[in-house]
């Protein structure tokens, strides 16, 4: 299946650098906005491309991200994904490509990709390991390039950054220390908002179904290890360039996804569905942000009779209870008991019985 990405190239023309290191297809790399970085008789390849902030990705322009960050400054809403006190340039959108899906020292990162804001542009940089054994220039160039406050990833807390830490231990005597970052992992946010709505919360599916992003001629991520090993063996660059484009799409999509999630949390999405309002309400409930949760539940339940409505009414009743607005809770529990069904009806019955016994002594 992956052979189509490993097409034969022109004869392997090797160009010697000023350090007498042979770099296959250097001219082709340069036409791909990629140049070598040399250190201690080894090298890695660094690609840099820039986009104007008014460029669009799916439903959003990159400038909409700046709007989201600005909106966080003006709100009193507390949330783990809040960028209150941050500037757009403080965030660092990061993704890796590796030789396998597992962890541990046997899994090598061959591509470190990230995007960040600089003035009125979005900069994408990628550091490629051209062959095993070149990790010192790879991590040296990467760690000298980054100076940001918060990492934004998709499953990066469980995979990408721990893998960086593991590989860094092998070369730490030769490269800068790993910086301390805050970390926004958008996979967890996607699960909260769309797990029940989408067949999967893989980034490619969230991109398509939620953000309206359609990738063209994209290489499936699971082919990345095979394509990389072919590149190491044959030096053919067409396949690995496709992987780099795939990685570029990933980091740019993180900007659009953070924008969309922020718009959901801050009530800025004019197309926000009732179901999404309920899911955001649940999220605020779990954070003990009862006032914000109540506001969202009330908006969502206004003229809404979807399958989530009875559970949402029960959740709203419990938020009223926390706020000591018990009369609102009683009204909702009775409504659920009279018209609801299933386990939520049982839970409402129990809550009403507890109230009648403990508060009114009506056994």
């Amino acid at each position: 299946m992956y052979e189509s990405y490993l097409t034969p190239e022109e004869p392997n023309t090797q160009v010697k650098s000023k350090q007498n290191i042979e770099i296959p297809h250097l001219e082709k790399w340069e036409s791909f906005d990629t140049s070598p970085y040399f250190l201690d008789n080894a090298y890695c390849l660094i690609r840099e491309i820039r986009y104007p902030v008014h460029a669009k990705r799916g439903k959003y322009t990159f400038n909409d991200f700046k709007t989201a960050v600005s909106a966080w400054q003006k709100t009193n809403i507390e949330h783990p994904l809040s960028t209150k006190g941050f500037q757009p340039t403080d965030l660092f959108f990061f993704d890796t490509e590796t030789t396998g899906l597992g962890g541990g020292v046997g899994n090598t990162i061959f591509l470190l990709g990230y995007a960040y804001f600089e003035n009125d542009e979005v900069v994408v940089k990628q550091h490629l390991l051209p062959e095993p054994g070149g990790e010192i220039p790879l991590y040296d160039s990467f760690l000298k390039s980054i100076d940001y406050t918060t990492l934004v990833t998709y499953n990066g807390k469980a995979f990408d950054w721990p893998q960086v830490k593991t590989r860094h231990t092998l070369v730490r005597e030769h490269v800068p220390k790993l910086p301390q970052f805050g970390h926004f992992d958008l996979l967890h946010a996607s699960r909260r908002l769309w797990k029940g709505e989408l067949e999967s919360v893989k980034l490619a599916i969230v991109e398509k179904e939620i953000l309206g992003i359609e990738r063209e001629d994209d290489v499936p991520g699971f082919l990345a290890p095979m394509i990389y090993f072919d590149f190491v063996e044959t030096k053919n660059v067409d396949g690995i360039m496709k992987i780099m484009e795939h990685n570029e799409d990933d980091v740019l999509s993180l900007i659009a996804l953070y924008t969309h999630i922020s718009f959901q949390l801050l009530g800025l999405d004019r197309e926000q569905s009732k179901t999404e309002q309920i899911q955001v309400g649940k999220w605020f409930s779990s954070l003990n942000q009862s006032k914000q949760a109540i506001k969202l539940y009330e908006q969502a339940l206004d003229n809404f009779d979807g399958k989530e409505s009875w559970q949402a009414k029960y959740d709203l009743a419990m938020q009223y209870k926390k706020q000591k607005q018990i009369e609102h809770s009683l009204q909702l529990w009775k409504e659920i008991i009279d018209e609801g069904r299933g386990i939520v009806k049982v839970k409402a019955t129990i809550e009403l019985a507890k109230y009648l016994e403990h508060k009114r002594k009506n056994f």
Side-chain angles (χ1 to χ4, degrees), residues 128-331:
L128 176 69
L129 181 68
E131 56 188 27
E135 287 183 287
I136 291 177
L138 180 78
Y139 287 99
D140 185 79
S141 64
F142 171 66
L143 293 171
K144 286 180 177 177
S145 298
I146 56 175
D147 183 20
Y148 303 96
T149 301
T150 296
L151 200 65
V152 183
T153 67
Y154 206 79
N155 198 31
K157 283 187 177 180
F159 184 76
D160 296 88
W161 199 247
Q163 194 63 32
V164 170
K165 289 181 178 179
T166 298
R167 301 308 302 182
H168 181 265
T169 60
L170 304 177
V171 295
R172 62 187 174 190
E173 295 180 2
H174 308 283
V175 300
K177 292 182 179 179
L178 287 178
Q180 295 296 316
F181 284 118
H183 197 147
F184 294 160
D185 191 331
L186 302 186
L187 171 63
H188 305 298
S190 295
R191 282 176 177 158
R192 282 192 173 273
L193 295 176
W194 304 298
K195 183 179 179 181
E197 183 179 346
L198 302 178
E199 60 180 283
S200 163
V201 290
K202 290 181 179 178
L203 182 57
I205 293 176
V206 173
E207 275 185 345
K208 182 178 179 181
E209 300 298 330
I210 303 299
L211 301 177
I213 296 171
E214 292 279 356
R215 295 199 191 189
E216 295 182 2
D217 196 27
D218 184 49
V219 179
F222 68 88
L223 294 179
M226 290 181 283
I227 293 173
Y228 176 68
F229 290 133
D230 179 87
F231 162 68
V232 170
E233 181 180 353
T234 68
K235 306 305 178 187
N236 291 344
V237 301
D238 287 344
I240 201 66
M241 286 179 176
K242 286 287 188 183
I243 294 298
M244 295 176 78
E245 289 173 343
H246 170 89
N247 177 265
E248 174 193 342
D249 282 337
D250 283 349
V251 296
L252 291 176
S253 287
L254 291 177
I255 299 174
L257 183 56
Y258 179 81
T259 302
H260 183 69
I261 291 170
S262 292
F263 277 35
Q264 294 289 306
L265 295 170
L266 295 169
L268 299 178
D269 183 5
R270 295 179 179 178
E271 298 179 355
Q272 186 177 40
S273 69
K274 300 281 190 181
T275 299
E276 285 173 324
Q277 286 179 332
I278 288 172
Q279 295 307 321
V280 175
K282 284 183 180 179
W283 199 350
F284 280 115
S285 296
S286 71
L287 298 170
N288 293 317
Q289 300 284 322
S290 292
K291 291 183 179 179
Q292 193 62 25
I294 287 171
K295 177 181 176 182
L296 283 155
Y297 281 133
E298 287 179 340
Q299 290 174 353
L301 291 170
D302 184 27
N303 296 319
F304 179 60
D305 59 358
K307 64 180 180 180
E308 307 96 338
S309 62
W310 291 112
Q311 181 63 48
K313 286 180 180 179
Y314 176 81
D315 293 340
L316 175 56
M318 299 306 290
Q319 295 305 310
Y320 281 137
K321 181 181 177 182
K322 286 184 180 180
Q323 293 294 306
K324 302 189 183 306
Q325 300 180 47
I326 194 65
E327 291 303 320
H328 291 304
S329 300
L330 293 173
Q331 179 180 342

